[in-house]
Amino acid sequence: MVDGIKRIFEDEAIIVCIKPNGVASEDGKASGMPTMLSKGCGNKPFVVHRLDKEVGGLMVFAKTKVAAADLSVQMQSGLFSKEYLAVVEGETETTSRYEDLLFHDRGRNKTYVVKRERKGVKDASLGFTREGLAFYNGEKLSLVRIKLETGRTHQIRTQFAFRKHPVFGDRKYGSHGVGQFALFSAHLSFRHPLSGEQLSFSEKPEDAFPWSIFNEQILKDIR
């Protein structure tokens, strides 16, 4: 661990690490992940994908322009796989796939499901499996594993909230839950940009509320 950032893997081309909740994926007015990581590797890494500031979990950064370009191509061609864990409000389907048209309002920094295609509207799709169901204060909560098929701004948050299943702790999208923002980047799979070796990384969220209300074995079994 360097400067409070847990590094899962690092070589001359990439850094795979755990982004903490509340830290920006890229640098802005406040220090984000690239600057924090540069303190340990000398140069500021390249951002190749993003997580919302509120979301924690696995991220990969490129240490060279060549590596960044290769990873970007993999994302565009569907060779880069991302899975998330989330605790959402209510009882979801056991397994399902959501397809929507999304519009991101930059002024409000909020994404909406819309009915018609127009400028700025993008298609969005994801699949998920419910891994657990629990009760908290008389309300149902679902633990879901999500496979992103597209990468739109606030996509998971928007698509689940639209179906009355906001991510626990996501007040922006209608959650009434008070606690840790319960969306976590749990699995990344991609080809190493230099060697071509297929790499896979998996992590679980910390055993803190609301994750802690689910059976520990369920989380252990999630790859």
Side-chain angles (χ1 to χ4, degrees):
M1 185 177 292
V2 179
D3 295 316
I5 304 298
K6 182 179 179 182
R7 301 182 185 218
I8 307 301
F9 176 88
E10 182 174 359
D11 63 9
E12 71 276 16
I14 61 174
I15 302 172
V16 180
C17 62
I18 301 291
K19 185 185 90 64
N21 294 72
V23 176
S25 294
E26 56 186 333
D27 296 321
K29 294 181 180 178
S31 178
M33 289 294 291
T35 292
M36 297 173 76
L37 291 171
S38 69
K39 296 176 183 178
C41 68
N43 298 317
K44 186 180 292 187
F46 296 88
V47 178
V48 294
H49 69 115
R50 294 165 179 81
L51 295 177
D52 295 343
K53 185 175 181 180
E54 301 87 348
V55 179
L58 285 165
M59 287 191 71
V60 58
F61 291 85
K63 296 174 74 171
T64 69
K65 289 183 179 180
V66 171
D70 184 89
L71 290 171
S72 295
V73 169
Q74 290 188 56
M75 290 184 187
Q76 294 169 8
S77 60
L79 296 175
F80 193 111
S81 177
K82 294 181 281 186
E83 291 186 10
Y84 294 77
L85 291 177
V87 176
V88 302
E89 297 182 10
E91 182 176 354
T92 68
E93 305 95 324
T94 303
T95 183
S96 189
R97 184 171 181 270
Y98 293 162
E99 293 183 86
D100 296 294
L101 295 174
L102 301 184
F103 174 76
H104 182 68
D105 186 327
R106 294 189 177 184
R108 296 182 179 181
N109 190 28
K110 190 171 182 179
T111 301
Y112 301 86
V113 173
V114 298
K115 295 181 179 180
R116 301 182 184 86
E117 292 189 7
R118 64 177 190 269
K119 185 177 180 180
V121 171
K122 298 181 180 180
D123 64 295
S125 59
L126 59 79
F128 73 90
T129 301
R130 191 181 75 219
E131 301 286 350
L133 184 65
F135 289 85
Y136 176 72
N137 283 347
E139 302 292 333
K140 293 180 179 179
L141 295 177
S142 297
L143 173 69
V144 293
R145 180 175 62 191
I146 303 159
K147 175 69 177 293
L148 273 184
E149 298 173 5
T150 55
R152 311 305 184 197
T153 303
H154 297 183
Q155 178 180 336
I156 292 173
R157 301 164 66 182
T158 302
Q159 290 191 277
F160 276 88
F162 179 70
R163 293 165 174 86
K164 311 301 182 185
H165 299 303
V167 172
F168 188 92
D170 190 1
R171 308 302 287 274
K172 190 181 193 78
Y173 286 92
S175 171
H176 300 294
V178 178
Q180 187 181 113
F181 191 98
L183 180 58
F184 186 84
S185 173
H187 181 77
L188 297 179
S189 180
F190 56 91
R191 186 188 65 222
H192 191 280
L194 298 186
S195 70
E197 178 187 0
Q198 189 67 29
L199 302 176
S200 293
F201 302 94
S202 297
E203 287 288 323
K204 300 189 297 291
E206 294 181 3
D207 188 22
F209 181 81
W211 306 104
S212 57
I213 68 174
F214 289 92
N215 184 286
E216 183 178 352
Q217 188 60 44
I218 293 175
L219 291 179
K220 284 184 178 179
D221 290 341
I222 296 174
R223 69 177 181 83

